[in-house]
Amino acid sequence: MRAPGGVEGITVITVTRGRPNLLRRCLDTVRRQDFPGPVTHLVVVDDDEPRYRPLAEHTARNDTVRDRSTVWHFRPRSPGDVSGPPVLSRLRNAAVELADTALISFLDDDNLLEPHHLSSLFRSMRRSGSPAVHSQCRLIHQDGTPYLEALHPWVRDVEAARARYLELRRPCVYVPWSNVLRDQVEANGVASRVQNADTSEWLFERALLRAVPFPETYDVDDWRNVVGEDNKLLRALVEADVPMVSTHMPTLLYTLGGYSNAFRDDAVEGEW
């Protein structure tokens, strides 16, 4: 899909469950993108149609922004499905198959984008020729205030979180008194301890994600080490020697406290 001027379109994929109020913000932040081509927001509702159907119908009646459209896909769960990375990986892969654009981005329902997020990723992709380009992000609490603690928030143990933060200080992924997470991937594709890029930071060629999909198999060590679908995908891309570049721009606002860093028993259902 291309705009009349020849700029190809982007599909932004959001998987959501149990949080229609948060999704409203997510929908708005995609509509406000300054990307000059068409943007399709593909919303995949994970086995929660009754709560989301009113919002989907409201969107259908009021979605009038030029070159911006919202497509809803309601997907029931299979027996035994439980919220977490395996289900989320399967849903992301299914959404990639549903998309009809050559470029794919992602946005979790509790995160927000700066208006130039997609356009900056697109320019970097065209300049570099890379099929996988990512931004950086700003870490915020759920009330919107910046996260400034000297702890890596994706580690369960406090001392380990502090150690990981200090480890990531050396390559300047973290800088004191800044909430910018300077995500990076080794340019030469060599696996190292500095391999960070959240799913919502990426712009991919769809063909790449079909060739190297989100891994759908996880084990107890993955749970213990808080390995999410973004970590698994990044490892797969590194192993496949995919060239990856960064815009070095913090255009994602990442809200802490969701599935990957809540670390409490009641955070499984309804939160990613």
Side-chain angles (χ1 to χ4, degrees):
M1 180 173 63
R2 291 177 179 269
V7 178
E8 58 198 284
I10 296 174
T11 296
V12 180
I13 294 170
T14 295
V15 179
T16 186
R17 173 183 171 88
R19 308 196 291 196
N21 288 333
L22 280 180
L23 183 65
R24 294 176 188 274
R25 301 187 317 161
C26 181
L27 293 168
D28 288 341
T29 201
V30 173
R31 289 192 196 99
R32 291 197 297 266
Q33 291 299 294
D34 66 8
F35 177 70
V39 177
T40 300
H41 196 174
L42 174 57
V43 180
V44 178
V45 177
D46 175 24
D47 202 40
D48 199 11
E49 182 170 352
R51 277 199 279 187
Y52 282 88
R53 179 59 68 180
L55 179 58
E57 292 174 350
H58 173 81
T59 301
R61 291 192 301 268
N62 297 279
D63 207 353
T64 59
V65 179
R66 182 176 178 273
D67 287 335
R68 301 290 182 265
S69 61
T70 306
V71 176
W72 295 78
H73 180 70
F74 295 93
R75 191 176 181 90
R77 286 192 172 183
S78 301
D81 282 348
V82 178
S83 291
V87 168
L88 193 48
S89 289
R90 290 198 293 273
L91 291 171
R92 294 195 194 281
N93 287 334
V96 170
E97 293 302 314
L98 290 170
D100 64 356
T101 59
L103 301 178
I104 301 289
S105 183
F106 296 91
L107 180 60
D108 289 346
D109 60 7
D110 56 344
N111 293 337
L112 302 170
L113 302 176
E114 298 287 2
H116 57 295
H117 176 76
L118 293 178
S119 59
S120 58
L121 287 167
F122 180 79
R123 287 194 298 271
S124 181
M125 178 175 279
R126 288 296 168 260
R127 277 198 306 269
S128 66
S130 170
V133 178
H134 69 88
S135 68
Q136 297 175 344
C137 69
R138 297 183 187 274
L139 302 179
I140 59 174
H141 295 287
Q142 293 188 3
D143 63 359
T145 58
Y147 176 84
L148 298 172
E149 297 180 51
L151 300 170
H152 185 65
W154 295 278
V155 178
R156 289 184 171 86
D157 178 75
V158 172
E159 290 306 315
R162 184 173 291 110
R164 181 60 172 156
Y165 172 88
L166 292 175
E167 181 182 12
L168 292 174
R169 279 274 312 275
R170 290 195 290 274
C172 295
V173 175
Y174 287 111
V175 174
W177 305 111
S178 171
N179 71 324
V180 175
L181 185 65
R182 294 163 176 81
D183 280 332
Q184 56 185 266
V185 179
E186 295 288 338
N188 58 4
V190 176
S192 74
R193 300 198 62 163
V194 182
Q195 297 284 356
N196 297 280
D198 183 77
T199 310
S200 297
E201 293 178 350
W202 287 100
L203 178 66
F204 294 107
E205 290 184 0
R206 179 170 176 261
L208 172 62
L209 288 178
R210 299 186 77 187
V212 186
F214 286 89
E216 298 180 4
T217 302
Y218 294 76
D219 57 29
V220 67
D221 286 334
D222 291 328
W223 178 88
R224 186 179 297 114
N225 296 313
V226 199
V227 174
E229 77 285 353
D230 50 353
N231 308 115
K232 284 268 194 178
L233 177 65
L234 182 53
R235 292 175 187 175
L237 293 170
V238 169
E239 291 174 2
D241 292 325
V242 175
M244 293 170 273
V245 299
S246 172
T247 65
H248 303 289
M249 301 173 68
T251 54
L252 171 70
L253 296 176
Y254 186 101
T255 304
L256 294 167
Y259 175 83
S260 64
N261 49 55
F263 303 144
R264 62 180 195 273
D265 292 340
D266 62 348
V268 175
E269 286 295 325
E271 296 191 5
W272 291 117

